[in-house]
Amino acid sequence: MKILALDSSGLVASAALVEDDNLIAEYTIQYKKTHSQTLLPMLEAIRNMVELDLHTVDAVAVAAGPGSFTGLRIGSATAKGLAFVLDKPIVPVPTVDGLAYQMYGTDAVVCPIMDARRSQVYTGIYEFLAKEDGYDMRVIKEQCAVAFDDIAQELNDIGRKVVFLGDGVPVFRDRMAEVVKVPYLLAPAHRSRQSAACIAVLGSLYYAEGRMESGAEHAPVYLRLSQAERERAGRMNET
């Protein structure tokens, strides 16, 4: 099985190719450029470097949201374009699930946090359960948009060691020290941001389970209204 994966849901732009149990290529960058400038050139670089015939991929996996509204639209549009041209299905992978998968095999509870602004985070709670041939990721709390203090209280109630990762960590680091009462640690730099390789691996698992959709069916998952939509709703409430 060959899965081409994209993640432009946050500050990082990432593309990857996984075939069966092998990571063939991954290109990830976070540096002063918009995803519209980086994502397609990254895909082209991977295609050229590994001599990839795009028609040989089985599906296109994409971080489906939540995340940056603009980033999600760019990733979604790119995935839809590939799906239409190649006549391949899209495997939508929840963004926060993909982040959590960075911590595969940890004995700690995993809590990704993406900065959602207005003192909120996109987050969820996960754990990895050992099995004979590896680990299964179990979702304790599905991805959501909440105040950081609210997710911290849920973690306190669970009462287990936690590992945090995501671009919300530097934003909420000080608050974390105040309100998180259980032992916690922060993921290292090479595991702290989105990775298309994780999207590809989860995409492979979901593809095998039949969790896919057509390019026409696919749409990003936002969880919240955009700022423009919130401002429009505010103006309508004032009239």
Side-chain angles (χ1 to χ4, degrees), residues 163-181:
V163 57
F164 289 102
L165 71 156
D167 60 37
V169 169
V171 177
F172 291 94
R173 187 193 301 265
D174 292 343
R175 187 60 180 164
M176 197 180 294
E178 296 173 356
V179 299
V180 178
K181 305 304 181 184

Side-chain angles (χ1 to χ4, degrees), residues 20-50:
D20 299 325
D21 293 327
N22 297 313
L23 174 60
I24 305 300
E26 183 177 21
Y27 193 156
T28 299
I29 191 166
Q30 179 184 334
Y31 185 76
K32 299 180 182 179
K33 293 184 183 296
T34 65
H35 296 324
S36 60
Q37 294 175 290
T38 56
L39 202 56
L40 285 176
M42 291 162 62
L43 283 169
E44 183 68 6
I46 287 176
R47 188 184 71 82
N48 290 334
M49 187 64 71
V50 304

Side-chain angles (χ1 to χ4, degrees), residues 93-195:
V93 178
T95 299
V96 183
D97 291 19
L99 262 173
Y101 210 70
Q102 289 272 55
M103 296 292 106
Y104 180 89
T106 182
D107 61 354
V109 170
V110 180
C111 183
I113 53 173
M114 297 173 63
D115 183 19
R117 307 297 174 89
R118 304 174 71 197
S119 299
Q120 288 195 325
V121 291
Y122 297 124
T123 187
I125 303 175
Y126 305 81
E127 66 177 347
F128 287 91
L129 303 177
K131 58 181 183 178
E132 185 174 342
D133 59 347
Y135 294 86
D136 282 330
M137 184 171 75
R138 186 174 82 88
V139 180
I140 298 174
K141 181 180 180 64
E142 291 188 355
Q143 62 177 23
C144 57
V146 297
F148 177 76
D149 284 17
D150 291 343
I151 199 69
Q153 184 56 56
E154 292 195 44
L155 293 168
N156 292 338
D157 292 342
I158 292 172
R160 291 170 53 190
K161 180 176 67 175
V162 181
V163 57
F164 289 102
L165 71 156
D167 60 37
V169 169
V171 177
F172 291 94
R173 187 193 301 265
D174 292 343
R175 187 60 180 164
M176 197 180 294
E178 296 173 356
V179 299
V180 178
K181 305 304 181 184
V182 294
Y184 67 87
L185 51 89
L186 309 179
H190 68 296
R191 288 288 181 266
S192 66
R193 296 292 188 271
Q194 285 87 346
S195 163

Side-chain angles (χ1 to χ4, degrees), residues 57-99:
V57 304
D58 293 288
V60 179
V62 63
S68 157
F69 286 80
T70 301
L72 290 176
R73 290 185 182 112
I74 291 168
S76 175
T78 304
K80 287 166 75 74
L82 288 167
F84 281 126
V85 170
L86 303 175
D87 192 24
K88 303 293 182 179
I90 290 176
V91 182
V93 178
T95 299
V96 183
D97 291 19
L99 262 173

